[in-house]
Structures are given as C-alpha cells and as structure tokens.
Amino acid sequence: MNARDDVLVLGAGHNGLVCACYLAMSGLKVRILERRDIVGGACVTEEFHAGFRNSTTSYTVGLLDSEIIRDLKLFEHGLRIVPRPLANFFPLQDGESLSIYNDPKDTQREFNRFSENDASALPKFQAMVREICDVVIPQMHRPPPNKGTGIRGWIQTLETTREVMRLSIQRRRDLSKLFLSSIADLVGSWFENPHIQAAVAFDAVVGNFASLHASGTAYGLLHHTIGEIANQRGIWGHPIGGMGEITQAMLKQAEDIGVSVETNADIVEVCIENGKATGVVLADGSMRRARAIVANLAPQQLYLELIDRGSLEEDFIQNIENLRSESAVLRINVALSELPQFVCKPSDEIQDHHQSGIVIGPTLDYMESAYLEARTKDWSQEPVIEMLIPSTVDDSLAPTGQHVASLFCQYFPYNRDWDRDRERAADTVFKTIDRYVSNFSDSVIDRQILTPLDLERKFGLPRGDIFHLSHCPSQLWVNRPVFGHAAYRGPISCLYHCGAGSHPGGGVSGIPGKNSARQILRDL
Ligand SMILES: Cc1cc2nc3c(=O)[nH]c(=O)nc-3n(C[C@H](O)[C@H](O)[C@H](O)COP(=O)(O)OP(=O)(O)OC[C@H]3O[C@@H](n4cnc5c(N)ncnc54)[C@H](O)[C@@H]3O)c2cc1C
C-alpha cells in the first residue's frame, strides 16, 4: 500500500511519461505503472535478432511537439534526431520513381517531370495547408471545450471561431474539406497525375483502415503536420538509436525530477470508492493509491476491462463499446545481409532514397484496390508498404555492412486467426517488395512480424489501432474519446485520460500528455 502519491499514471507510453513529467515539474508526487518490462509503449527500440535492433512499432519521428522537447530537456538527455535527406521515395513499376523533397522547390521540379499543371498547383496547395495549419495546430494544444472546461471553454470556443473567421471564405471552404472530404476527392481536385496524387495522399492513408473515397479521410494530411523537426513543419526524421531513444530521454527527465517508475506492474483494476477513483490493483494483488488517476492506456481497456461496469452509466459504456479502432496494419522488422537494391535506382552505395520513407503505393487506384481486397478477401494481395532502412543513417542498429528495415504494411484486418496466418501474410508483403527491390527476399536474415493481434496483445492497442482510436471525424476534438469527456476528464471523479485516445489523437507527439497535465493541475 502506498498512500503518499498525488497522481498515478497508468501506462508508460510516451504520453504517460510526458504527463508525469509536467505534473512532477509542478511539484506533484507522481508514480507511473507500466505493464511491460520497458517504458515507451508504442515508442520503443528492441533487439529482434542477435545484433539487430530497431524501433519495434512506431518507426519515424515528425509529430513530436517542440515545446515538450524543450521543457523535458530531451536533447540534453541525449536525444538526437536526424532529418531525412529526402522526404519520400515512390519506386514505380516501369523503372521510374517519384521523389518528395524537404525543399518544396525541389519537389516542384520533380512534379514538373510528371505534370506541368501539378507542378504549378503545388505551391498553392502547400500555402493552403500552411494557412489552415496556422489555425488548426493551436487548437491541438488546447483542451476541446467540454465537461470541466467551464467558462474558459466557452471563451476558448469564441477565440477559435474568431481565428477561423479571420481566414478568407475560400480558406474556410478548404478547412472544411480537409476535415470532411475524402482524400481521393481532395487530391483529385488539386492534382491530375496519378503518381503525384498517390504521393500527396499517402500521409492520409497511414494507419487508417478506410476507403480513400470515404468522407473524413483527408484529415490525415493535417494530422501529419502537427510537429516540426529542425524548425520545419511536416519534416520527418530518425532518432539515433531508434524511437526508443525518445522515451528513454523522457524517462531520464522523469527520474531526474523524482517521478517513481514501476515496470512489470500489470494493472488489473481501477478502484472506485464513493464515485471517486482512488487507486489501482496490480496483478500481484498489491494496491497503489493516489489523489488522481491518469490513464495513458486506451479508453476501451480502461472502461471495459479495468473498471467495474456498475460504476459507469450504461449509455457511457455503450459509447465506449462502439468506438472505432482498427488500422489493419502489419508491422515487420527485417534483418538484412545487404543494402536493398531498387530496380528503378540500383546502387551499391547508400543514397538519399535509401534514407527516406520509401513507399510502394504508386496510384490511388492501387491503394484503393489494396483496401477493397482487405475488406472482401483475406488481406491486400498487393499491399501499400512504407519501408524505412534506418541503419543507413544509424550504425548502432545493425552489424557493419548489414541493415535493418522497418515495414509498415496495409491492409491486414484484425478479424482472423493471426496465430495461423502470420507468416503467410508476411510472405505477401515480401512478394510485393521483390517486384521493386531485386535482392530483398534473398538478403533476409530474420523477420519479426507484428500482426494487429500482436499489437493488441503486446502493446495494448485495441484491435491493433496505432492511434488507440481511429482518426475519423466522429472521434476527433470534442468527440475524443467520447463527447462530454474530451477535456481529459473521465466520467468518474479524479479519473483522467492522457493517451492517444484523447485529443488531439495518436502519433508520437506528446500533446495529449501535455494538455492532460494542464487540466489535472487546474483540478488538484
Ligand atoms: C505499428 C505502429 C507504427 C507507428 N508508426 C508511427 C510513426 O512512425 N510515427 C509516429 O509518430 N507514430 C506512429 N505510430 C503511432 C504512435 O506510436 C502511437 O499513437 C503512440 O505511441 C501512442 O502513445 P501513447 O503514449 O498514447 O500510448 P501507448 O504507447 O500505447 O502507451 C500505453 C502504455 O500503457 C501500457 N499498458 C497497457 N495496459 C496496461 C496495464 N494493464 N497495466 C499497466 N500498463 C499498461 C502499455 O504497455 C503502454 O506502455 C505507430 C504505432 C504503431 C502501433
């Protein structure tokens, strides 16, 4: 029994660590309880084959909030982020390829090879996204007006409305399209070349098991611009040592300021007494108590597995049961004996394209077929694949001359016998890559396959959803996780949310953890 903590944080994902740090920096006594033997949740680096380490699940950084980097002294604690020299590389079947550069002028030149119209549309499209981000991103750093935000919530709603009204009428139309349109309609209204359309749409496809023609899918584009690297928005990079170095730096800060961190602490119950959350019970039967409880784990796990149903209203439970969670992602880490040779750009030396986000997804039709196959058959026979080869920028991950690759593959739906089909699904992915990379399968030393079921079992991600909850309009902003409880306060007194299932959602941003801490500090 421990009666001295002010706050218990349930889960040591990066948002739990961020929340704990802000609370402790304000003088509260904080304890984090984590089920696994390492902290970091979906943001960890682990060895998966002797001598080969990789970011196990999340594999690239671009959303992390610069205020958090500064406040938690992440660079002082050893974090080093290397921006990609080339943002994305799309190998195409006919020996061609399309590159997206960090410098928009270079991308415009590249687009010009495919379509003059698209090259001239690009700066206008980027200006549109930039202007809208200037209004939307500040909202990501505020709690949505909701239960508990009181008069401040109303004032903030007025401020938000005023900021939106400052946009021109056309920009307000664009804003509504970015939230409500399908990604296919949005890119189709700006660009004509099928490869360029796919390249622009890709960010909106990541982790979202939805048709590219479904309303609301354009939002993914906005979500992928919420952070910045090297003072540039929308740029992606690699943390030296893998994604786990982000959470290891957060852990160092947490420990420096007195946060207690318990690993191998599997929470099996949240205790509710007289309508108040008062503590938790661990799998070994021990209890921890505190004045407030903050859940970093997913809302479904919190409310459907850890809290007695009798403590919650039936309506609320039904809302949680009906939440949509599914990314249909297969995540594979591969140990390679040599550098991948791209058919369209062969080279024995490491080049920029090896160090970029390499995407197999040449057209919107290809991506949509992958989606439809997954809905109607077992899974995509020609999946959309993002491949990173982080060992080309980081020699700490693999033995000299050998490499590790991260594969993020869509679509592989949750509902099947994954213990039976794991290897067969990975074979489909490798067969697809072999069409673009001549030596891929021949150079595989080992592979670690994480199916949607593995992501749920090992990392607690509901139905393998990489964002805890889908980023569909009905689950964003005031609706995340459930309308009435979007300002980080649950329906039970002293119970809060701080994970990806709360505003502004998933990705390694840390923003839910930071926003949540601010609300808790107002209450305690
Ligand atoms: C395959 C994959 C690829 C991704 N790629 C990227 C990417 O490249 N870039 C990016 O920005 N984002 C990426 N994401 C998304 C991002 O990683 C997540 O949205 C984010 O890490 C979630 O962080 P969190 O702290 O909110 O929750 P989590 O990281 O899920 O942390 C929750 C913690 O709670 C713990 N927990 C669960 N149950 C219990 C219990 N009963 N008792 C105690 N502890 C418990 C878990 O072990 C975990 O540590 C990816 C995610 C996945 C799965």
Side-chain angles (χ1 to χ4, degrees), residues 17-94:
L17 289 161
V18 167
C19 185
C21 285
Y22 278 105
L23 294 174
M25 288 188 298
S26 295
L28 294 180
K29 193 156 175 6
V30 184
R31 176 176 300 271
I32 306 182
L33 301 166
E34 167 56 43
R35 177 169 64 183
R36 292 197 70 206
D37 57 359
I38 53 167
V39 304
C43 186
V44 286
T45 305
E46 292 169 285
E47 187 173 68
F48 65 98
H49 180 86
F52 292 82
R53 298 184 315 129
N54 201 15
S55 309
T56 312
T57 52
S58 63
Y59 54 97
T60 183
V61 59
L63 307 181
L64 191 58
D65 177 25
S66 44
E67 193 178 37
I68 292 173
I69 293 179
R70 191 195 60 219
D71 292 348
L72 271 58
K73 305 188 175 92
L74 299 187
F75 291 145
E76 285 94 314
H77 289 302
L79 178 63
R80 267 199 308 142
I81 296 176
V82 189
R84 294 180 191 170
L86 180 67
N88 282 111
F89 175 72
F90 289 75
L92 306 173
Q93 267 295 354
D94 48 8

Side-chain angles (χ1 to χ4, degrees), residues 121-135:
L122 181 67
K124 294 175 208 145
F125 178 77
Q126 288 174 324
M128 180 274 286
V129 174
R130 209 170 33 244
E131 280 177 46
I132 288 171
C133 281
D134 288 344
V135 171

Side-chain angles (χ1 to χ4, degrees), residues 13-15 34-35 41-42 58-60 267 296 301 466 468 500 507-508:
H14 81 285
N15 278 313
E34 167 56 43
R35 177 169 64 183
S58 63
Y59 54 97
T60 183
I267 300 151
N296 174 206
Q301 199 186 355
I466 71 165
H468 289 189
V508 179

Side-chain angles (χ1 to χ4, degrees), residues 128-378:
M128 180 274 286
V129 174
R130 209 170 33 244
E131 280 177 46
I132 288 171
C133 281
D134 288 344
V135 171
V136 171
I137 290 176
Q139 313 309 321
M140 307 277 195
H141 294 265
R142 300 172 186 159
N146 229 255
K147 194 176 162 209
T149 50
I151 189 76
R152 284 184 207 211
W154 288 108
I155 294 170
Q156 190 196 303
T157 308
L158 289 175
E159 275 171 14
T160 305
T161 312
R162 214 181 50 198
E163 283 159 25
V164 171
M165 296 308 273
R166 277 202 208 110
L167 292 170
S168 70
I169 188 77
Q170 180 53 37
R171 282 292 173 266
R172 278 180 257 161
R173 291 181 191 126
D174 293 330
L175 173 74
S176 124
K177 283 183 191 152
L178 271 168
F179 276 94
L180 300 175
S181 286
S182 75
I183 187 61
D185 283 346
L186 185 86
V187 296
S189 67
W190 283 87
F191 302 104
E192 62 186 17
N193 179 275
H195 302 311
I196 289 176
Q197 289 177 345
V200 176
F202 176 68
D203 277 349
V205 170
V206 172
N208 190 7
F209 188 32
S211 161
L212 278 74
H213 297 276
S215 170
T217 45
Y219 169 73
L221 281 191
L222 267 190
H223 197 83
H224 276 85
T225 57
I226 62 178
E228 44 180 56
I229 290 183
N231 298 323
Q232 243 187 304
R233 211 184 262 165
I235 298 284
W236 291 83
H238 172 76
I240 296 297
M243 293 294 281
E245 291 304 308
I246 297 173
T247 43
Q248 286 303 313
M250 289 173 175
L251 175 66
K252 282 186 191 144
Q253 173 67 5
E255 288 176 338
D256 274 6
I257 55 177
V259 174
S260 308
V261 182
E262 289 186 48
T263 50
N264 297 308
D266 185 6
I267 300 151
V268 292
E269 186 186 340
V270 174
C271 308
I272 313 294
E273 293 167 29
N274 301 322
K276 258 174 128 177
T278 54
V280 297
V281 180
L282 303 188
D284 65 7
S286 62
M287 280 185 79
R288 307 286 182 277
R289 287 183 166 278
R291 290 162 59 204
I293 312 291
V294 194
N296 174 206
L297 36 79
Q300 294 97 322
Q301 199 186 355
L302 174 67
Y303 292 111
L304 304 178
E305 294 173 26
L306 301 184
I307 295 184
D308 176 44
R309 248 186 128 93
S311 305
L312 297 163
E313 289 188 1
E314 202 50 40
D315 281 354
F316 178 80
I317 294 174
Q318 273 177 22
N319 276 283
I320 296 289
E321 282 173 342
N322 291 331
L323 287 171
R324 200 178 125 203
S325 293
E326 179 159 19
S327 294
V329 162
L330 192 69
R331 178 73 179 81
I332 311 177
N333 292 305
V334 194
L336 296 168
S337 60
E338 59 187 23
L339 186 68
Q341 289 281 350
F342 286 83
V343 176
C344 62
K345 217 169 186 175
S347 164
D348 290 333
E349 302 294 320
I350 293 172
Q351 295 194 350
D352 285 357
H353 66 282
H354 293 113
Q355 301 174 324
S356 72
I358 302 152
V359 180
I360 297 177
T363 62
L364 293 188
D365 284 348
Y366 176 103
M367 294 176 176
E368 184 68 6
S369 298
Y371 168 76
L372 290 174
E373 274 179 349
R375 281 282 181 211
T376 53
K377 299 180 190 154
D378 293 349

Side-chain angles (χ1 to χ4, degrees), residues 374-442:
R375 281 282 181 211
T376 53
K377 299 180 190 154
D378 293 349
W379 52 67
S380 311
Q381 292 309 304
E382 295 200 313
V384 179
I385 302 164
E386 181 168 32
M387 178 198 294
L388 263 70
I389 316 168
S391 48
T392 58
V393 290
D394 180 352
D395 59 13
S396 73
L397 300 177
T400 309
Q402 302 188 318
H403 289 280
V404 289
S406 306
L407 305 179
F408 184 89
C409 320
Q410 291 171 264
Y411 301 90
F412 294 82
Y414 173 82
N415 273 337
R416 60 181 314 101
D417 182 349
W418 278 117
D419 288 327
R420 183 194 62 199
D421 291 338
R422 185 178 288 110
E423 298 292 333
R424 209 158 58 82
D427 290 344
T428 310
V429 171
F430 281 31
K431 213 169 98 193
T432 304
I433 296 177
D434 284 342
R435 283 201 280 279
Y436 297 85
V437 182
S438 55
N439 62 344
F440 190 77
S441 285
D442 289 344

